Amino acid sequence: MISGLARFQKIFTSGNLHHAYILCGPEGVGKKAAALEIAATLIQNSPAELDVVSRVARKIHPDMLWIEPEERTLKVDDVRGIARDLAYAPLEGKRRVVVLNHAERMNAAAANAILKILEEPPEYAVFLLITHALEQLLPTLRSRAQVLRFAPLTEAAVEKELTKKFSSQFSALEIAQASQQAWGSLTNAELFLQNEEVRKLARDSQEALLSLWESSPRVPKATTAFLETLAGAAEMRSVIRVWLSLARDFAFAQVALLEKKQIPGS
């Protein structure tokens, strides 16, 4: 699957720019970094303007508005100034770019305020909405934007980024373990690497699962027998992904059941 950033680059090269894009995918897969790269590309008068890239990366370029909730909810007050700012043409670059991080946290009033702008956006304005929960955005908002999807990172990509950032603090083995536990998310990997409680929880859960496995000898035998019927490693990986998904769904269902029992009156 073509990445969201690669898809945007193809769109940009074709010249068929839209006025709004939704960058969606799991947390920790590079959506914010991609939004900054896209914003710089849109604002630059030419690729040689490296100062634009630097100021956009630091979120201090006058032609970019970076908005994210200060609390749990993105309220109408957080977005109220967008229409006023977009009334003015770009100060330095080709376009003005509005980036809404955690767009799924918009309340109804904030979402409707954005919708109103998107009904007749200035020709020089482009919106970038970042979210890990596309389904939580209003359908009308989704219909006015093009979706750029970001998939989980490969284990090798996570390990590479962790090595760049943490090689002086953690061993290669610790970085490799964090990459394996990340589920394609750099955020998850960094949390695992830097938080001893998270690492302890992972160790305890692994020990609990192994203990259960060892106490039920028929389970490993049946599992091995089934895997031996498969035609090669590709089929094995597919089956293991299905099993992992089922285990995850079962665990989430158990958590939801426990939470429900803890709510008074439920």
Side-chain angles (χ1 to χ4, degrees):
M1 182 178 70
I2 188 170
S3 74
L5 185 56
R7 184 177 174 224
F8 173 80
Q9 288 167 342
K10 289 185 72 173
I11 293 170
F12 183 78
T13 302
S14 72
N16 297 320
L17 281 174
H18 201 58
H19 56 267
Y21 296 91
I22 298 173
L23 286 68
C24 72
E27 292 185 278
V29 298
K31 299 187 300 297
K32 286 193 288 186
L36 290 170
E37 186 171 336
I38 290 171
T41 299
L42 290 168
I43 291 170
Q44 283 176 311
N45 289 295
S46 77
E49 293 181 321
L50 299 180
D51 180 57
V52 172
V53 177
S54 173
R55 286 188 291 156
V56 165
R58 288 178 287 151
K59 304 185 183 73
I60 60 171
H61 196 286
D63 289 328
M64 183 183 77
L65 298 175
W66 183 280
I67 298 168
E68 55 186 285
E70 294 184 2
E71 300 175 352
R72 291 296 304 169
T73 304
L74 193 59
K75 301 175 183 176
V76 68
D77 287 343
D78 297 320
V79 302
R80 199 184 300 278
I82 294 176
R84 180 186 64 246
D85 290 340
L86 290 182
Y88 300 97
L91 295 174
E92 298 179 15
K94 279 187 176 181
R95 300 173 185 86
R96 304 204 75 175
V97 180
V98 179
V99 184
L100 291 173
N101 193 23
H102 300 298
E104 74 283 349
R105 297 189 192 176
M106 282 189 290
N107 62 19
N112 285 324
I114 297 298
L115 271 173
K116 188 173 181 182
I117 300 172
L118 290 179
E119 286 175 1
E120 293 186 48
E123 61 180 14
Y124 48 76
V126 178
F127 281 74
L128 304 176
L129 281 63
I130 304 172
T131 182
H132 66 271
L134 180 63
E135 70 284 354
Q136 291 183 25
L137 298 184
L138 289 178
T140 46
L141 197 54
R142 298 200 301 265
S143 69
R144 293 184 181 277
Q146 291 186 0
V147 177
L148 304 175
R149 297 183 185 276
F150 290 76
L153 303 173
T154 64
E155 187 177 310
V158 173
E159 187 169 350
K160 182 179 179 181
E161 291 302 316
L162 290 181
T163 301
K164 281 187 203 172
K165 195 170 181 180
F166 297 108
S167 60
S168 62
Q169 299 171 248
F170 298 95
S171 69
L173 178 60
E174 289 172 319
I175 287 174
Q177 289 173 337
S179 304
Q180 292 166 2
Q181 298 286 337
W183 287 81
S185 166
L186 195 56
T187 301
N188 290 346
E190 291 186 4
L191 182 64
F192 182 87
L193 201 57
Q194 296 178 291
N195 192 313
E196 173 56 31
E197 289 185 6
V198 172
R199 291 199 298 276
K200 183 178 183 302
L201 180 61
R203 289 194 299 269
D204 291 347
S205 61
Q206 288 171 348
E207 289 173 5
L209 187 59
L210 287 172
S211 176
L212 177 63
W213 186 272
E214 291 168 356
S215 67
S216 308
R218 292 178 61 188
V219 174
K221 288 181 181 178
T223 302
T224 302
F226 177 76
L227 290 175
E228 286 176 349
T229 68
L230 302 176
E235 281 195 3
M236 287 185 184
R237 284 194 290 269
S238 295
V239 168
I240 290 170
R241 279 196 294 268
V242 171
W243 286 349
L244 288 171
S245 179
L246 286 171
R248 181 191 60 195
D249 292 345
F250 176 76
F252 281 141
Q254 292 299 306
V255 169
L257 186 61
L258 288 172
E259 288 177 343
K260 187 175 180 182
K261 288 181 179 178
Q262 292 170 1
I263 298 174
S266 62

